[in-house]
Structure formats: structure tokens, C-alpha cells
Amino acid sequence: MRFLCLHGKGTSASIFKSQTTTFRAKLDPSFTFDFVDGFLPSSPAAGIDLFYPPPYYSFWNVFAIADVRKAHTWLRDLLARDGPYDGVMCFSQGCSLVASFCLYHQAETPDKPLPFKTAVFICGGAPMQALEDLGIEVSQEARDVDSKSAKALAEQASNDAILKSGIDRWQNAHGAQSNSGVPMDPSNVYGLDFTKMPPHLRIKIPTVHIYGNKDPRCPASLQLSHFSNPRLTKTYDHGGGHEVPRSSEVSDRIAKLVEWSAVATKEEVDALKIRVDISIMTADALVYHPTVSHYLRFVATTVGRDKFLRTLQYFSRFYAWYLFRSNNPPRLIAPFEAIKKQFGLTRKALRLGKNVEHFKAAASAMDDTKSKDEFLRYCAVGRQLGYGIYLTLDMATFVDSAGIWKLESAKRLQKEAYRAWFVGLLFNAVAGCYTLWGLRQREEGVDKADGDGVVESKKIERERATTNLQLVCDLCDLTIPGSALGYANLDDGIVGLAGTVSSLIGVWATWKKTA
């Protein structure tokens, strides 16, 4: 595990390295630590110049959001240049830098992983001003605790306090709880309500929070711990002040927590790999599923795309009517009116040139002298001619509908197109009724007690079901030109619903053909 180590304000990399020597010595060589100086020269932190010579550094000297974001940029560049790092270990202001970096990352790029996998926070918290900048509600109580604790730290860490009281200078003036106490109420962690915290503003990587209950800044440490995922968080009260105690007991415990962060990180990485593998397997199962292949064959056909768009077009026509009749505002109706209009125009474009297919089919039906039923043959000719004329006239109106070229005769041509479509549908409906009559006649002559009769009976049933379905489709479609021509006084609700039914029948039939 490779850790980037960031010191506190007014100290340095060498000072932080010295402060952590004892517990790092208890870790095996697989743990490595890179100590880096802050990028701003600084005056020494309170009391630090009694023990350590200059130089001293900071990540910002006076807190301002612009300076914090500048420090974030510096940290991001450092991680990109000298990384990758498995984790970060930080103290005091270093914790403020890393914590705010994590929270801004979650707020601005929640779908991207952090550039490190774990964090060890020692005596640090998240800046209140940064929380407010992120839109988190910060109560007056939280501001007061933050201000009071910062002032107390400056007093208790000062040279005078060290020379006068030594280790006894640290005083618990905030009622912080140790690990053995009852967990804090998340609705009031020193003025912050974590029950109202946005879920995306959570630190999602494994974290360790080390603090001392005599540290005036202990409330900030406890607040920061609540930003982490409880399942991936360990907290430890070393019992001291704003420092890294070097006793054997504390050093052992901190070393164990650093080891835990490595184990938790590996478990999270392994879990992520499993989730990725499952996602890949699921994606493969979906991509190579026979239904997907069938769907691709369906949408590869012009008929399939047309039937799908037609279903949406006529359902939108029905639903726009329903919304209008329900006294809904125009803004709710407008999208469905747009679908009806635009998809109708798109379908016109898809039908360009299709008239030739129907004229050829009419000619083939006329030349089919081998047909067993002359009536059905002439119905087929009438149907195909009707459809061919309809599509020819419909094609002529496309330039007007698309706004390419305005035609004075557009309305008349469209009316004649509807009339041709109506005739074609009528021929098909009559042919369907005639076919049903013929199937009934055939059925009366079938001996169902005979094996061949049973087969013939089943064949008749299949033909009857297909004919009935097509007849329903034709009768539904007749409402569209019938209404447009004024043959029937039907509102958009009935026409839209009838068109949706016939479209769904067409989708189902095309789906079967592409199986």
C-alpha cells in the first residue's frame, strides 16, 4: 500500500514524518509513505517552533473557497504526476484538504472514482465554509462550535501553554465522546444534521478517523467521520489532544487501523471486480439473447420501423385527445401533438416509392389465372390498386407536408389519397368476410372423425384466426380515412385508439415474420 501523506498547517513533510514514526515502524515493508510539503510557505503552527526548525508550509494561509479550490487543483495534479496512490494519510489542515477534495469530487463528478482508494484522517475535519459552498445546511450551533474549538486550539497549542502546562494543557471543553461512549445522534453532530445530508455527498471509500477527546478540534473529527460510509469506517479515540501520541498502546492501535484500511480497500476492489464481472456477464446475456437478435431483424425492416412509429403516432393522437378532454394545460398536450405530427411526417418519408410495390402486386394478381377464386383475385387487385394510388398521392403531398414546396392542390390530393386508401381497405375487408364465409363452407364438409379431417379442421381454424385478425385491423383502419373524408363523425379519441389497435396488430404480425 502506497500512501500520500499531507501535513498540518504551519508544519512540513519532515515534521509529519517524525510525528508518525512510531506507528509506521510497526507496519510491514509493503506499506510505503510519501511525505510531501505544502505548496505555500507559512509561519509555524502554534507551539511547533519549540520542537521543529523551519521551513514550514501550508495548503492555504487564510481560509477562502478560492484558495481551497486552488489547493484541490494542486492535489489533483500531484496525484496525477506522482501517483497512483492507494491511499492518503493526513493531519489537521491536510485532513481539511483531503476531506473537502472528496466532498467536492462527490458533488461534481459522482460517477467517477476518487484518485485514491482509502484515507486515514488524524485530528482533522471538513471546513464549514466548504460545506456551505456545497449546499449543506450549517446551523448556527455548528458555526459556534467550529469557531470556539479553533480559538481553543490556538490557545492550548501555544508556546505559553506548552511551557506552562505541558501535556496537561489539553482540556476537553466540548463534551466529545470516546469510542466507548454511546454513538452520537446523527441528527445533531455538533450542529450538523446528517439525516438530511444528500446521499451523494458521502465519502464512499474506506476511511479511518483518529482523534483525541481532549483535542479542542475533536468535534470536527467526529463530524467528518459521519460523512463516511458506516460500513467502511473505523474511528479511534487516542485519548490525547491535537497530536499523534507515540505511546506503544496508541501506536499499535493506529498501525492496526492502517492495516485494516488496506484490507478494506482490497475487499472493496475485489467486490467492485465481482460487480463489474457480473455486469459484463449480464450485458453479454442481454446482447446475445435471441430476443435481441430478433429485435434487430425487426427494426432492420422498413415495415417494422413503420409499424412501431405508427403505434406511437396514433397512441399520441388518442392521448392528446384524452388530455384535452380532461382539461389539462396545453404544455402537457403539446409533446403528444408534436409526436403525432412529426412521426406522421417521418412515416411519409419511409413510404416514398412504396407505391411501385403495390402496382406490381396488382398486376401480378390480375395475371394470376391459376387462382381458384376469381372474386378474391379481383378483391386483391382492387386492394393493391387502392393502396398504390393512395401512396402515389400521399407521396405527392410530402413536399408540402415537409415544408419543401407549398402545393395549392395539397389538400385535394390528400383527400383523394384518403379516398383511395378507403377503397383499398374496403376491398380487403370484403375479401376477409368472403374468406370467412368460404371457411365456414369448407368446415361443413370436413369429417372430424377422420384423421385427415382433423388436420384440415385445424388448418381452417388457423386460417380463420388470421383472417379475423386482419379483418379487425382493416375495420380499425377504415376509421382513419372514413373520419378524414367525413363518412363518419368520429373524434380523435376513437380514431387514435382504432389506429393504435391496428398498429399493434401490424407490429405483432411483422414480429412473427422476422422470427
Side-chain angles (χ1 to χ4, degrees):
M1 289 285 289
R2 187 181 181 215
F3 281 85
L4 172 65
C5 304
L6 302 175
H7 58 79
K9 183 180 186 294
T11 64
S12 65
S14 61
I15 294 173
F16 191 30
K17 186 175 184 179
S18 171
Q19 291 170 327
T20 58
T21 299
T22 307
F23 76 77
R24 288 190 295 106
K26 296 178 179 294
L27 295 166
D28 68 61
S30 65
F31 289 87
T32 60
F33 300 86
D34 289 354
F35 292 86
V36 177
D37 286 320
F39 60 94
L40 295 175
S42 171
S43 58
I48 204 73
D49 54 340
L50 290 176
F51 304 98
Y52 298 100
Y56 311 110
Y57 301 95
S58 295
F59 303 105
W60 55 82
N61 286 317
V62 178
F63 189 93
I65 293 298
D67 292 332
V68 172
R69 300 316 303 269
K70 184 177 180 180
H72 291 170
T73 301
W74 171 84
L75 176 57
R76 190 179 294 109
D77 292 343
L78 174 67
L79 291 165
R81 183 183 71 245
D82 298 340
Y85 287 99
D86 298 300
V88 290
M89 183 174 72
C90 42
F91 180 84
S92 195
Q93 192 187 66
C95 295
S96 295
L97 170 57
V98 173
S100 58
F101 178 87
C102 292
L103 295 176
Y104 276 99
H105 178 93
Q106 290 301 120
E108 296 170 350
T109 54
D111 297 330
K112 293 184 179 179
L114 282 163
F116 42 85
K117 303 180 185 72
T118 186
V120 178
F121 297 101
I122 306 174
C123 297
M128 289 294 150
Q129 297 94 323
L131 300 185
E132 289 183 301
D133 186 54
L134 288 165
I136 296 172
E137 183 179 346
V138 177
S139 69
Q140 187 59 49
E141 178 188 354
R143 293 191 191 93
D144 291 343
V145 170
D146 185 65
S147 175
K148 181 181 177 182
S149 63
K151 183 178 179 181
L153 176 61
E155 292 173 354
Q156 295 180 29
S158 68
N159 291 9
D160 290 342
I162 294 172
L163 295 173
K164 180 179 179 180
S165 305
I167 196 171
D168 295 329
R169 70 190 183 280
W170 300 119
Q171 298 175 15
N172 185 338
H174 41 70
Q177 300 166 340
S178 68
N179 274 10
S180 60
V182 178
M184 298 192 71
D185 178 5
S187 66
N188 186 9
V189 182
Y190 295 102
L192 293 183
D193 186 352
F194 283 88
T195 63
K196 297 180 180 179
M197 201 66 62
H200 69 281
L201 289 181
R202 297 284 184 176
I203 300 175
K204 299 179 180 179
I205 59 175
T207 56
V208 173
H209 301 267
I210 300 166
Y211 62 94
N213 63 24
K214 294 180 181 179
D215 179 3
R217 293 292 291 163
C218 181
S221 295
L222 292 172
Q223 288 169 337
L224 177 56
S225 70
H226 280 75
F227 276 102
S228 300
N229 183 340
R231 184 179 62 84
L232 300 174
T233 300
K234 293 287 186 182
T235 59
Y236 173 55
D237 176 9
H238 59 59
H242 198 73
E243 59 188 346
V244 186
R246 306 188 188 190
S247 68
S248 179
E249 179 184 353
V250 170
S251 297
D252 284 341
R253 187 65 186 275
I254 294 177
K256 291 295 183 185
L257 289 169
V258 174
E259 290 174 344
W260 171 86
S261 73
V263 173
T265 299
K266 184 178 184 304
E267 290 175 351
E268 281 299 293
V269 170
D270 291 344
L272 178 61
K273 287 180 179 178
I274 291 172
R275 290 195 294 270
V276 169
D277 289 343
I278 292 173
S279 298
I280 292 173
M281 291 170 62
T282 303
D284 284 347
L286 290 173
V287 169
Y288 295 107
H289 194 278
T291 303
V292 175
S293 299
H294 188 178
Y295 165 77
L296 293 174
R297 291 194 299 272
F298 172 80
V299 296
T301 64
T302 303
V303 175
R305 294 193 299 273
D306 177 70
K307 296 300 182 185
F308 178 71
L309 292 175
R310 189 179 193 268
T311 301
L312 296 178
Q313 176 192 353
Y314 281 100
F315 177 77
S316 295
R317 183 172 179 173
F318 162 74
Y319 198 60
W321 168 85
Y322 170 78
L323 291 174
F324 175 76
R325 290 294 296 270
S326 303
N327 295 319
N328 282 276
R331 63 181 177 79
L332 294 180
I333 302 172
F336 296 97
E337 290 286 355
I339 291 174
K340 179 180 73 173
K341 180 180 178 181
Q342 297 303 324
F343 282 19
L345 184 61
T346 301
R347 292 184 57 242
K348 273 181 179 284
L350 290 174
R351 294 195 298 263
L352 292 176
K354 191 174 173 58
N355 57 330
V356 177
E357 175 186 328
H358 290 283
F359 284 131
K360 181 180 179 182
S364 298
M366 180 62 74
D367 293 339
D368 186 14
T369 55
K370 297 179 181 180
S371 175
K372 295 180 180 180
D373 196 309
E374 288 294 305
F375 183 80
L376 289 178
R377 183 163 73 93
Y378 286 118
C379 281
V381 172
R383 179 181 75 248
Q384 297 296 348
L385 284 176
Y387 291 168
I389 294 170
Y390 160 65
L391 291 172
T392 300
L393 296 173
D394 186 67
M395 183 170 60
T397 64
F398 175 75
V399 291
D400 181 82
S401 301
I404 299 171
W405 189 271
K406 287 298 177 184
L407 298 175
E408 295 292 334
S409 58
K411 288 186 177 180
R412 182 176 60 82
L413 290 174
Q414 190 63 62
K415 186 175 182 179
E416 294 303 323
Y418 277 132
R419 186 173 282 115
W421 185 20
F422 185 87
V423 170
L425 288 170
L426 201 58
F427 269 112
N428 209 37
V430 169
C433 293
Y434 180 80
T435 300
L436 290 175
W437 176 80
L439 290 173
R440 181 180 295 177
Q441 298 299 313
R442 279 173 57 192
E443 191 174 33
E444 290 176 356
V446 172
D447 181 7
K448 296 183 179 180
D450 180 62
D452 291 338
V454 172
V455 173
E456 180 67 13
S457 179
K458 290 183 177 179
K459 182 179 178 182
I460 291 172
E461 285 300 319
R462 287 195 297 271
E463 290 181 21
R464 179 182 286 116
T466 301
T467 305
N468 279 329
L469 193 63
Q470 183 58 52
L471 185 58
V472 169
C473 186
D474 291 334
L475 293 175
C476 287
D477 280 344
L478 278 167
T479 64
I480 302 168
S483 175
L485 293 167
Y487 297 160
N489 186 21
L490 304 175
D491 57 32
D492 269 9
I494 294 175
V495 174
L497 199 58
T500 301
V501 171
S502 66
S503 299
L504 288 172
I505 292 172
V507 168
W508 181 76
T510 307
W511 181 264
K512 285 182 63 179
K513 288 179 182 178
T514 54

